[in-house]
Each structure stands twice: as structure tokens, then as C-alpha cells.
Amino acid sequence: MLAVSALAVTAAGLAPAATATGHAAHAAQAAHAVQPAQADRAAQLAARVDNAYAGAGVYVNPEWSAHAAAEPGGSAVAGQPTAVWLDRIAAIQGGPGAMGLRAHLDAAVTQAAGRPFVVQLVIYDLPGRDCAALASNGELGPTELPRYKAEFIDPIAAILADPAYAGLRIVNTVEIDSLPNLVTNAGGTATATPQCDTMKANGNYVNGVGYALGRLGAVPNVYNYIDAGHHGWLGWDSNLDPTVQLLHQAATSAGSTVADVQGFVVNTANYSALREPNFTIDDSVNGTSVRQSKWVDWNRYVDELSYAQAFRQRAVAAGFDAGVGMLIDTSRNGWGGTARPAGPGPRTSVDGYVDGGRIDRRFQSGNWCNQSGAGLGERPAAAPQPGIDAYVWVKPPGESDGASSPIANDEGKGFDRMCDPTYTGNPRNGNQMSGALPNSPLAGHWFSAQFQELVRNAYPPLGGSGADTTAPSVPAGLRSTAVTASGVSLAWTASTDNVGVTAYDVYRGGVLVGSTAATSYGDTGLSAATAYGYTVRARDAAGNASAPSAALVVTTSAGGGGGNAGCSASYAVSSDWGAGFNANVTVTNTGTKAVTSWRVTWSWGGNQQVTNLWNGGLSQSGQAVTVVDAGYNGAIAPGASAGFGFGANYSGANAAPTLTCTAS
């Protein structure tokens, strides 16, 4: 173990991307779990902020930081915040050369120095853990749910409830991979395993996650995020919707409610690209859709950002709170270096187009172990995109996913052939090569060769001498040049950059719909007589992105059909801190026919100014505000509802406005 004292560690703060306590005093309290009275629980939960990361510093794990700083080039990222993994009962107390949970929380209090501060934990020790992979089956057998509760979750909850840590914002990533495995790898699917069938039948994943959410969520400064896989695993509707339903079942089991869930985390310890700028699912080559390519394989999503934003929508529709947020693990999805494509692939075939332009260079998107060619991804940042609470480094870069050959150990960690670079695959990865690095140690152990590769391939590139950190100017003059019943043509004035603009990202309703190197873009597949909101960001080769352009709302031409529809809009403030607030608007179809699009308008009575909006397209001029659906939430059946949320600044009075809703 490297000496931590040799390294000066400072706590990192997550700014928006656009922009010691002794242990003896705690010993008695650690002997029992603290359960607040039910009558006080609602008030305690209400004390949580909407986004724990906003305006807060984040804990830098001194153990990981020391490892990183000792590697060539590692000092550039040794100050980044990473999560602390509680993957065994013994990890709670720690041991020789390893910090326990209290030691980490004490260090976090010191780093916080009285300011808002996040500490990130991974809760990962379910019975029969990770039933579809053999690298980390864990220490508890499939039927040992009572031990999981009494020896793992209860002691953690007792420590987190210690008043000494009440000033921290404790963010938990809850049980990686567990619930999604029951969807894709159990119940008669082609990729089912006996282990996953057992866990689906005995219910210990669902009840274990529910118990963890309820016990940990009872601590008022805890924020629970359930693991939600990644787009290359769950991006198909046949996987995504059942996963959302199963997560909701777990969140309402074993004493938990949806109020114990603050959001979801995707791409945990995985490698899926944050964005794929060189193609979209709407592209086609010689009449063949990109969705038919071998890489996409009819997936609805091609990257983690689009998947995360869509997952959030599905979760809210399934009954989770409208204010839930998403975290994206960007610790190892940079895919940079010389292997990063500079533009789209050739249009000779759909596979050539996708494979030549895709950022993710894995053999198959199901490959998950110590991937060769991967790089550090986006640095941790708060509120980088609509609906995204933060980019985070849940998996500490340089910690192995699993051993490349069998290694005897007392940590409950087995050998999975997906960590063997000579393995030629299985049905779960399309029988492709594993793409794993050789000579890897046990899961969670330091893997120097992996860390060095991640540093070499980092994207955006690491800072240092000559590094480009200047963002392009904001695209100006966004306008529509042609409008049909099913499409909109957009154009804008070129941005400038100190090195050069490489692409423009086009957003519809706050969701990335395409990228282009030109100053024009055609958006197709739209609904007739529907208003759509657009913004554009400029991006350079170093990954620096401009702020979004001014919003443009375009209404498509009328198509056939017609018919009247009605809607109503209700307004509710979810939090107000005196200088700003967050609110949710619910749009309900009050007619007898299905709504295909909707528009909500109002005028402020004061100086309120919307600063960010999700699940819709925004236009504000003075006191007048117009919000249109985001396309994916425009269709509402009679009696059903959709909605959007926003944040705003103000001074003085903040009276609720009168909303007008129109629909077609």
C-alpha cells in the first residue's frame, strides 16, 4: 500500500460542465441501526436538495489518489473524485492498509471544511451477486439474504446515520448489475444462466435491493441511485421497459418506497461511449437504416447520454418521482488516442459507415472486462446535460474488472473467461473476442497497465503543456430554412475556436438528435403540426463544448387526419430557496382522442427567468413562456399525462402563474 501521507490530496468540486473525527466516540452508535421515527421521515426526506452534486465539492479517495499519482501521467487526475466500493462485509471496517467506511467519512468531513460536500459509495454485496458473470460472485450465497441485511446493510446504515456525518451528502450506487441480470439472463432467455434463474426465483435480488433502499434511504442526507445497466445491454425496448418495471418493484419492496430513490446510474464500471457524434439511429446508408448495422443491431440508443435521458423518462412514467436524476459513469469511456475516428465511416455499406465512425472501439458492446484501447472519459461534472445530475467516476480507473486467469483468493472472486484476452466469446457478446487486457489481477486490485492505457487514451485529453481547454463560441443565428409535415431544416452561423471547430451537436427538446461538421442539419421523422424546440452546441477536437445556442421553436406543417384534442396543465413548485426554484408541470389529456403534441404557455407575474428545462422545448421572451413537448413525450392517450420540469431564478415574489394548454 502506498503511503497516503506522501500525497497532498484536496477535495474536488464539481462545477456545471457549461461552466477528523476519532473513531472511539462512534463505537457505541455502530452497534445498532438508526431508524428515524416514521412521523419525521417525510420532513427529513424533504430536506434533500434536488441535485446533491450541484454547488458541492466531492470526496477524493486518498487511497485511490495515491495509486494514481504514483503512475506516469497520473498526477493529472489524482485529484479527481471517485467512489468508495463496499463490496464485502469486511470493507465496512477496513483492515491493515485499507480504510474502512468510517475512515472515509471522517476524511470526507475534513475535506468538506464546512461546505456542501458529496461522498460517493458503491453498495455491492447481494446474495449470489452478479449471477451472469463469474468474476465477482461475492461472499454471500444465494439464500443468505438475512446475512446481507444484518451484517452488511444494517451496519452501513448505522454508520451513515451518525450525526457526525449529517453535513455530508452521501450518494449510494446500489447493487450494480443485479436487477438487469434478472431481465436478460433469467427466465428462459437465450442468455439465461442457472445462477440468475435461482436469484429470480427466490426473490433475493428484489428484496435485497428494496431493503437496502429503505434502510439507507431512511437517513435524510443519503441519496440512493439504482444501477440501470448501459445502452449496449438494455437499450432495446424488450429489455428496457421490463428493467424499469423491475426496478420499480424493488423500490416498493421490503420497506422501500419510491421516495427512497433519488435517481439511477448508468454505465457503471463499463465502457459505453458518452456520445457517438458520427452517426445517429435516424441515419441510413443506401436505403439501409443504421439500426440494421451489426454494431447497433436494432438498438434504440447508440450512446449513454441518449440512453440515460430516455431511461429517466421511462422511469418517471413507471411511477418514480418526476425529479429523479441520472448519473453516468464516465471513468473509462473516453476511447481516445489515435484510435478515435475523426468523422463518419465510408458510405459503402451501413456496417462500414457505423464501424468506421463509432467512438466505442470494442468488438461488441457486451464486452465489459478490462477493455483494450479504452481511455479516461469526461471528468466528473455536475448537471452537464438536461436530466443528468452528474458525470461521475464510479469505477476508479486502474482498478481491475477481474483476473485474466484463475487466481486463488479469499475475497469471493472467481474467474470469468470474459477477462481472458484469448477468449472467443459467448452468446451474450455475440461470440466476439473479449477484448480484455492480459495479465490482469483480481477485481478491484490495482492494475497499473490498465491505468496507463486509460491515461494515454483519455478523451478529452488530459491537461498539461499545450492542452486545449478553450471552448468554441456559441453558435449564433439558429434558424429554420425549410419546414415540412415531417421534417425541419436548420442552419446557423459558424462558431469560432482557438484551434478549430470539429462538429456541431443538435438538440431537440434538450436531447441530442445528431451531430454534423456543417452549419446545417435536417431533422426528420417528426409529427405534423407539432412544435419542436432546438438548440445547437459547437465542439472542438479536444472535446470542449460551447454553451447552447439560443433556442428555436419550429412548428411542422399540418398533415392529414385532423381532429380536436384537449389538455390541461398543472403547476407545482418542488423546491424554493429564495433566489431560485424548481417546478414540475403535468400535462393531462382531457379530451376523448389521443394527443400527438402539446404546448403550454404562461406569463410570469414577476422577474422569473427559466435557466434550464427538461422534457420539453423552451422559448421565453420577457415574461412570456412557451414550452412544447420534446417529441418522445408528445403522444398522450385520453386521461393519461406527461410533463416537464424546469429551474428558474427570481427575486421578490414568486406567485404561481396561470397555465394555458393546447393540444393537437
Side-chain angles (χ1 to χ4, degrees):
M1 174 59 63
L2 297 172
V4 175
S5 60
L7 177 69
V9 177
T10 59
L14 296 192
T19 50
T21 305
H23 301 305
H26 308 312
Q29 295 180 36
H32 65 280
V34 178
Q35 179 72 38
Q38 194 68 28
D40 298 333
R41 191 173 185 192
Q44 291 175 328
L45 295 178
R48 294 189 177 105
V49 297
D50 288 331
N51 181 356
Y53 292 86
V58 188
Y59 176 59
V60 177
N61 181 346
E63 294 183 304
W64 175 83
S65 184
H67 278 299
E71 297 284 354
S75 60
V77 295
Q80 292 291 349
T82 56
V84 175
W85 284 55
L86 302 175
D87 59 354
R88 291 187 295 157
I89 294 169
I92 302 172
Q93 295 302 321
M99 298 170 67
L101 176 56
R102 284 196 181 278
H104 283 294
L105 294 175
D106 289 342
V109 170
T110 300
Q111 290 184 17
R115 58 181 169 144
F117 203 75
V118 171
V119 59
Q120 303 171 110
L121 307 177
V122 176
I123 310 300
Y124 184 51
D125 199 26
L126 272 179
R129 187 182 70 191
D130 209 355
C131 59
L134 303 178
S136 56
N137 285 150
E139 64 186 346
L140 300 178
T143 63
E144 293 190 286
L145 183 60
R147 286 193 63 197
Y148 176 77
K149 294 178 177 180
E151 298 179 39
F152 186 66
I153 295 299
D154 287 352
I156 293 174
I159 294 172
L160 300 188
D162 191 316
Y165 310 128
L168 298 173
R169 300 174 182 177
I170 303 170
V171 172
N172 295 324
T173 290
V174 180
E175 295 298 353
I176 300 164
D177 292 349
S178 60
L179 299 175
N181 271 327
L182 301 187
V183 173
T184 63
N185 300 315
T189 64
T191 54
T193 70
Q195 296 91 335
C196 289
D197 282 333
T198 295
M199 299 317 300
K200 184 171 185 177
N202 68 23
N204 284 348
Y205 276 9
V206 170
N207 290 317
V209 169
Y211 185 82
L213 292 172
R215 291 288 290 112
L216 302 176
V219 182
N221 55 313
V222 160
Y223 299 75
N224 288 323
Y225 289 77
I226 311 177
D227 184 80
H230 59 90
H231 89 276
W233 181 6
L234 303 175
W236 295 265
D237 286 343
S238 58
N239 292 342
L240 196 157
D241 288 328
T243 299
V244 172
Q245 295 299 326
L246 188 61
L247 267 59
H248 189 270
Q249 179 187 348
T252 53
S253 298
S256 175
T257 72
V258 293
D260 295 310
V261 179
Q262 282 65 56
F264 308 91
V265 54
V266 299
N267 204 43
T268 310
N270 210 269
Y271 299 85
S272 295
L274 181 64
R275 301 181 185 88
E276 285 287 3
N278 297 324
F279 64 91
T280 76
I281 60 170
D282 296 321
D283 295 347
S284 62
V285 177
N286 301 325
T288 302
S289 168
V290 157
R291 293 191 69 188
Q292 294 176 255
S293 66
K294 293 178 181 178
W295 174 259
V296 179
D297 189 27
W298 294 105
N299 199 322
R300 187 175 292 276
Y301 309 100
V302 299
D303 54 34
E304 285 307 293
L305 180 56
S306 62
Y307 170 72
Q309 291 173 323
F311 192 99
R312 182 184 179 280
Q313 293 303 308
R314 305 284 186 100
V316 171
F320 285 98
D321 187 83
V324 295
M326 302 296 297
L327 304 178
I328 304 178
D329 188 351
T330 60
S331 59
R332 304 182 301 176
N333 66 349
W335 294 104
T338 58
R340 191 176 183 90
R347 287 188 167 269
T348 53
S349 70
V350 70
D351 286 323
Y353 176 69
V354 171
D355 289 340
R358 60 182 168 95
I359 300 304
D360 190 334
R361 304 312 298 174
R362 288 178 290 181
F363 292 112
Q364 208 270 347
S365 60
N367 290 1
W368 58 266
C369 194
N370 300 326
Q371 291 297 285
S372 176
L376 300 169
E378 291 279 353
R379 313 312 175 248
Q385 293 288 337
I388 310 300
D389 284 350
Y391 296 153
V392 292
W393 283 9
V394 179
K395 178 69 173 182
E399 292 190 2
S400 175
D401 294 321
S404 55
S405 60
I407 299 176
N409 68 92
D410 61 356
E411 300 176 25
K413 297 174 181 177
F415 169 59
D416 194 302
R417 288 296 305 279
M418 287 299 293
C419 301
D420 176 0
T422 68
Y423 185 47
T424 56
N426 58 45
R428 288 195 295 278
N429 82 324
N431 296 108
Q432 298 286 326
M433 295 290 292
S434 71
L437 292 168
N439 304 316
S440 58
L442 290 171
H445 289 224
W446 189 254
F447 189 9
S448 177
Q450 183 209 57
F451 182 85
Q452 293 180 36
E453 179 147 332
L454 293 173
V455 167
R456 285 194 302 270
N457 293 329
Y459 195 90
L462 296 181
S465 178
D468 178 14
T469 60
T470 302
S473 64
V474 177
L478 178 61
R479 59 198 183 277
S480 63
T481 57
V483 180
T484 68
S486 61
V488 172
S489 296
L490 304 172
W492 55 89
T493 302
S495 296
T496 60
D497 186 67
N498 63 318
V499 177
V501 175
T502 58
Y504 296 90
D505 295 332
V506 181
Y507 295 81
R508 183 202 316 137
V511 177
L512 180 67
V513 294
S515 299
T516 177
T519 55
S520 59
Y521 182 82
D523 191 21
T524 60
L526 307 179
S527 299
T530 302
Y532 294 95
Y534 293 93
T535 57
V536 178
R537 289 177 182 251
R539 185 162 37 83
D540 63 20
N544 302 304
S546 73
S549 69
L552 172 71
V553 177
V554 183
T555 302
T556 52
S557 303
N564 295 322
C567 66
S568 64
S570 61
Y571 173 96
V573 173
S574 58
S575 60
D576 190 320
W577 53 95
F581 67 101
N582 289 326
N584 296 308
V585 175
T586 301
V587 179
T588 302
N589 183 349
T590 58
T592 59
K593 296 183 179 181
V595 165
T596 59
S597 64
W598 48 263
R599 175 195 300 258
V600 177
T601 59
W602 70 87
S603 291
W604 295 118
N607 61 356
Q608 296 92 335
Q609 182 69 38
V610 178
T611 57
N612 64 306
L613 183 140
W614 49 95
N615 306 332
L618 168 70
S619 175
Q620 178 171 353
S621 177
Q623 294 175 306
V625 180
T626 298
V627 178
V628 299
D629 64 82
Y632 54 76
N633 61 350
I636 310 176
S641 300
F644 59 91
F646 63 90
N649 294 329
Y650 76 100
S651 60
N654 185 30
T658 299
L659 275 57
T660 299
C661 184
T662 57
S664 60

